[in-house]
Amino acid sequence: MGTAKILIASNNPDKIKEMKAILSDNFEPVSLKDEKIFSDPEETGKTFEENSEIKAKFALEKSGLPTIADDSGLYVYALNGEPGVYSARYSGENATTEKNNEKLLKKLEGVRDRRAKFVSAVTMLFPDGRKIVAVGECYGEILETPRGKNGFGYDPLFYVPETGKTFAEMTAEEKNKISHRAKALALFEERLKNIDND
């Protein structure tokens, strides 16, 4: 497919930066802002896959370009999967990273089982109707206090035991090798090769 233009259906600058770094070897990634699209669809899906498709469909209809969208979030086992699809708006309407992290830590006070995973569902839609979906997961645990200055969202609380670091203590390169989004995009690229060869 060479360096075909691909629209990243996101307004999150951190997510765009991460996806561009992972995708730029094979594509010419552009953002919604680059394409002068300034609105967002309502994310009404009950799963990460449903929400990523809603975002991709919206951006494809607006741009006519092959579009890739990611919906991702944190799944905490002791909280029955919370914050899940509500990860970005966990603390309510005016959610901020700080408030979301505070709410998560409060809910986990005194909880010994701190296992969690980050999930990323990536959907790519083509103007001709073809679709690729890929899901990646990264397993870790939630710390009691934040560590690290990099990354975004819940990264300072998400500790990956085999690395000895939180996502926020990793460099972008380190995180992009093991993250849920990196895994989803690697699987996506495999499926893209197959769809191109069909």
Side-chain angles (χ1 to χ4, degrees):
M1 204 166 197
T3 51
K5 206 183 217 191
I6 182 172
L7 176 62
I8 300 171
S10 176
N11 284 307
N12 178 326
D14 296 306
K15 193 184 277 192
I16 291 165
K17 190 175 169 189
E18 214 170 82
M19 288 181 81
K20 277 187 173 179
I22 295 167
L23 288 167
S24 57
D25 286 348
N26 301 307
F27 298 99
E28 184 197 326
V30 293
S31 68
L32 292 173
K33 198 174 171 187
D34 295 333
E35 293 299 306
K36 314 253 182 304
I37 299 169
F38 298 107
S39 50
D40 275 321
E42 198 179 340
E43 293 175 35
T44 53
K46 297 208 168 27
T47 65
F48 296 117
E49 292 93 325
E50 286 173 10
N51 278 338
S52 71
E53 185 163 348
I54 287 168
K55 290 190 261 194
K57 194 173 177 189
F58 175 84
L60 171 67
E61 284 169 1
K62 293 270 184 191
S63 69
L65 288 171
T67 298
I68 187 165
D70 149 274
D71 195 59
S72 49
L74 184 65
Y75 181 107
V76 179
Y77 289 86
L79 301 178
N80 298 315
E82 280 185 28
V85 292
Y86 303 105
S87 290
R89 48 195 189 278
Y90 192 39
S91 56
E93 209 172 307
N94 300 309
T96 63
T97 293
E98 291 73 25
K99 285 183 190 168
N100 288 342
N101 284 339
E102 277 169 26
K103 180 174 179 179
L104 180 63
L105 288 175
K106 197 155 187 55
K107 282 210 156 196
L108 285 173
E109 269 175 18
V111 176
R112 292 181 67 181
D113 177 7
R114 312 210 39 118
R115 291 172 305 132
K117 64 181 176 180
F118 263 121
V119 182
S120 168
V122 168
T123 300
M124 182 171 185
L125 298 178
F126 295 84
D128 64 10
R130 289 175 301 160
K131 174 169 94 168
I132 300 173
V133 181
V135 178
E137 297 181 341
C138 181
Y139 293 86
E141 52 199 55
I142 304 300
L143 296 181
E144 292 182 3
T145 49
R147 275 175 29 188
K149 300 277 181 231
N150 302 326
F152 58 98
Y154 299 96
D155 287 1
L157 294 175
F158 187 76
Y159 176 76
V160 184
E162 54 269 31
T163 67
K165 295 178 178 181
T166 66
F167 268 180
E169 291 175 306
M170 296 178 193
T171 64
E173 292 72 27
E174 286 173 320
K175 184 183 172 189
N176 287 346
K177 281 193 182 106
I178 66 155
S179 77
H180 50 304
R181 194 165 292 119
K183 288 176 182 173
L185 289 169
L187 181 58
F188 156 76
E189 288 188 327
E190 280 303 306
R191 292 187 173 157
L192 182 65
K193 282 178 201 153
N194 294 333
I195 210 170
D196 280 347
N197 294 328
D198 282 352

